[in-house]
Amino acid sequence: MSETMAEEKYKFEQNFSFTPLLNKTPSFLQDKASLELLMKWSMLGRISVQYYSFDQSFYPYNSRNFALMFFKDPQVVSNLRKMTAGAWVPLDSPLLCVDVEVVPCSRVSMDLLDPIYYSRQILSPSGNVVKCFHDLYPDYDELRRALQEEESEHYDVIGREERGEFLFRIFKHLCLGGELCQYEDTIAPYAQLTKLIYKDLISVQKDPQSMGISVVSTVLKVCAQDKTGSCYPGRGDEEQTFAYLIVDPFKRHVCLFYHCYGVGGFTL
């Protein structure tokens, strides 16, 4: 189905309205240690989380319509900002369609990263990240190779299914960092901030019978387009420029998790 046909179809589906929750801020953007790490990794001032409430029941099968209504809602449009040339600016033209990828999000612990911890080719026995030579990057390591390069002999340490998980995506985004990233010698800072961000963004519930914990959030990776093409989260094709909608269907809250790769932004 073409985007135009899809948009016509959605006219007969739910119409969501959104209200910004301006006083809601995630804890990782208030924590001094987390902010210092984001600054070190060249992400501070270029990463943001915005919260909104919405007025209709959300169902995962309706994700594309939900995302389209979100980016066309007047309250969202008036509050939405993107990073351009080191400054936060509003969208400069009307959006025509939204590409949506439903991101798997089922993990309730950090054990997804265990294979990396157990790999002595990626981490030394002391816990330090193993350094390696690279033709393009003078300060490179086996962790980033395993995360980025499919031809790396360590790429399969993390399976394809696990790589798709939202938890892993957050971890990878932090490990790769921003344009002027100062990389860590150990994995711990990346893992610790991944856990904090994940807990901030994801909603869970406990089964009263089994007492097990499960994720109730739906995560959508989104890319909005205007008449010239992709415009949000950015106009280029950069893996570290991303936007995710994380939907809590019970609270009827959605947060927009955004980062734009580049130089500039706030400092501590």
Side-chain angles (χ1 to χ4, degrees):
M1 180 182 293
S2 70
E3 294 292 350
T4 302
M5 291 174 62
E7 191 167 348
E8 287 294 324
K9 177 176 179 287
Y10 293 143
K11 290 179 180 179
F12 301 99
E13 297 185 358
Q14 288 173 284
N15 287 315
F16 293 92
S17 294
F18 298 86
T19 302
L21 303 175
L22 300 178
N23 295 323
K24 188 173 174 61
T25 304
S27 62
F28 81 89
L29 288 179
Q30 303 177 71
D31 175 67
K32 183 178 179 181
S34 299
L35 295 176
E36 288 175 346
L37 286 173
L38 291 173
M39 181 171 67
K40 183 179 180 182
W41 301 338
S42 189
M43 300 177 82
L44 185 65
R46 306 187 67 87
I47 194 168
S48 70
V49 178
Q50 291 183 310
Y51 292 91
Y52 297 83
S53 63
F54 54 91
D55 63 343
Q56 304 285 330
S57 296
F58 170 84
Y59 302 99
Y61 69 81
N62 205 19
S63 294
R64 185 181 292 274
N65 180 49
F66 179 87
L68 184 63
M69 293 296 100
F70 177 83
F71 281 102
K72 289 198 168 188
D73 185 90
Q75 291 270 37
V76 173
V77 171
S78 64
N79 283 276
L80 194 62
R81 297 291 184 272
K82 66 176 183 177
M83 178 68 69
T84 300
W88 290 97
V89 298
L91 297 183
D92 50 11
S93 59
L95 301 181
L96 300 179
C97 62
V98 181
D99 293 330
V100 177
E101 175 193 354
V102 179
V103 176
C105 185
S106 62
R107 298 298 178 132
V108 293
S109 75
M110 297 291 289
D111 59 4
L112 178 148
L113 300 180
D114 284 352
I116 294 177
Y117 281 98
Y118 296 147
S119 172
R120 287 294 165 257
Q121 288 73 42
I122 299 176
L123 300 182
S124 69
S126 64
N128 285 344
V129 178
V130 176
K131 302 295 183 180
C132 66
F133 174 79
H134 195 280
D135 291 334
L136 297 178
Y137 308 109
D139 180 24
Y140 207 54
D141 56 61
E142 295 291 356
L143 175 58
R144 279 180 282 157
R145 278 194 69 208
L147 294 177
Q148 289 182 287
E149 300 181 8
E150 291 191 32
E151 63 272 18
S152 166
E153 58 268 34
H154 314 313
Y155 186 83
D156 292 334
V157 166
I158 297 293
R160 185 171 301 276
E161 183 176 330
E162 287 74 18
R163 284 178 176 272
E165 283 279 337
F166 186 49
L167 176 63
F168 183 83
R169 295 186 189 212
I170 295 174
F171 175 74
K172 181 178 178 181
H173 286 314
L174 295 181
C175 289
L176 299 183
E179 187 168 350
L180 301 177
C181 182
Q182 301 174 58
Y183 298 101
E184 299 294 328
D185 292 325
T186 67
I187 196 175
Y190 301 126
Q192 290 165 1
L193 189 50
T194 296
K195 182 177 181 179
L196 183 56
I197 293 175
Y198 193 69
K199 289 181 66 176
D200 271 343
L201 301 184
I202 297 301
S203 300
V204 299
Q205 67 178 7
K206 180 181 287 188
D207 186 294
Q209 295 182 334
S210 69
M211 303 303 291
I213 302 295
S214 61
V215 175
V216 299
S217 300
T218 294
V219 180
L220 310 172
K221 187 175 184 180
V222 291
C223 177
Q225 299 185 31
D226 60 16
K227 62 183 180 180
T228 64
S230 176
C231 65
Y232 186 92
R235 292 203 175 274
D237 184 18
E238 165 56 55
E239 184 179 17
Q240 287 296 91
T241 295
F242 58 79
Y244 297 94
L245 290 175
I246 301 100
V247 186
D248 183 329
F250 298 113
K251 291 183 180 179
R252 291 187 177 178
H253 285 181
V254 56
C255 68
L256 176 62
F257 179 42
Y258 169 95
H259 175 258
C260 179
Y261 182 85
V263 179
F266 301 121
T267 58
L268 288 177

